[in-house]
Amino acid sequence: MRIAPLVCLALALACAHSPAPPPGPRPLGMTASLARKDATLELRFRYEVDADRRVTLLVDLGATGPGVVGPVRLVVTGENFEVQGDSTWAGEVAADTATTERFVLRPRADGVARVTIEYGPADAAALERRPFDFVVEPGVVRPCQADDAVCKRP
């Protein structure tokens, strides 16, 4: 019976000292796609945070199929985030190729910050929207989790 408490203690200590996640881009958990005729453009959203709390939003674009989707437009806006540099991108991704577009965001204040990515055909009257919320704290910027009370919107 003495082994059970020791096992619990060992597990608790192991979890408390888990190594930090590896550096580099992390997925934001959503993907999207645009299709036109026989072509499909897949979009994958990732992010990375640097030591200055700047967030680099990465949009991976991968084209598949025999045709082309045509010109595509990306627009990034922020609430409590300042977009540094270009906030838009427009272009084509050739069939069976991939590219990554980067957008740099700096938090304006601690709290909750939202970045919204709009995407779609360049000639579309309205673009699709994907919002991503982040918790901004001293020394930390991370995506909101389901159990983060501060991230709950009224």
Side-chain angles (χ1 to χ4, degrees):
M1 288 301 193
R2 291 183 183 178
I3 293 175
L6 292 174
V7 170
C8 290
L9 178 61
L11 285 173
L13 290 174
C15 291
H17 297 289
S18 297
R26 297 168 150 219
L28 276 169
M30 289 187 177
T31 59
S33 64
L34 300 171
R36 186 176 282 174
K37 298 181 184 171
D38 292 335
T40 301
L41 183 67
E42 298 290 332
L43 293 89
R44 184 173 65 142
F45 308 109
R46 299 179 300 145
Y47 76 99
E48 56 188 348
V49 180
D50 70 16
D52 291 336
R53 299 192 319 169
R54 280 183 304 208
V55 176
T56 300
L57 179 65
L58 300 106
V59 182
D60 299 324
L61 303 144
T64 58
V68 294
V69 171
V72 174
R73 184 168 42 134
L74 302 175
V75 179
V76 174
T77 56
E79 296 173 34
N80 196 26
F81 270 131
E82 174 189 349
V83 181
Q84 298 185 315
D86 290 335
S87 62
T88 62
W89 175 84
E92 287 192 51
V93 181
D96 298 321
T97 63
T99 187
T100 299
E101 294 304 317
R102 299 170 183 275
F103 301 93
V104 178
L105 308 145
R106 181 179 292 281
R108 291 188 171 137
D110 289 351
V112 176
R114 171 175 278 193
V115 59
T116 301
I117 305 169
E118 296 179 84
Y119 60 91
D123 59 356
L127 300 173
E128 298 289 326
R129 298 171 56 90
R130 289 272 198 247
F132 298 102
D133 292 338
F134 287 81
V135 173
V136 179
E137 298 172 334
V140 176
V141 178
R142 63 174 175 79
C144 284
Q145 302 298 315
D147 58 348
D148 285 331
V150 70
C151 295
K152 305 280 189 228
R153 290 195 175 243

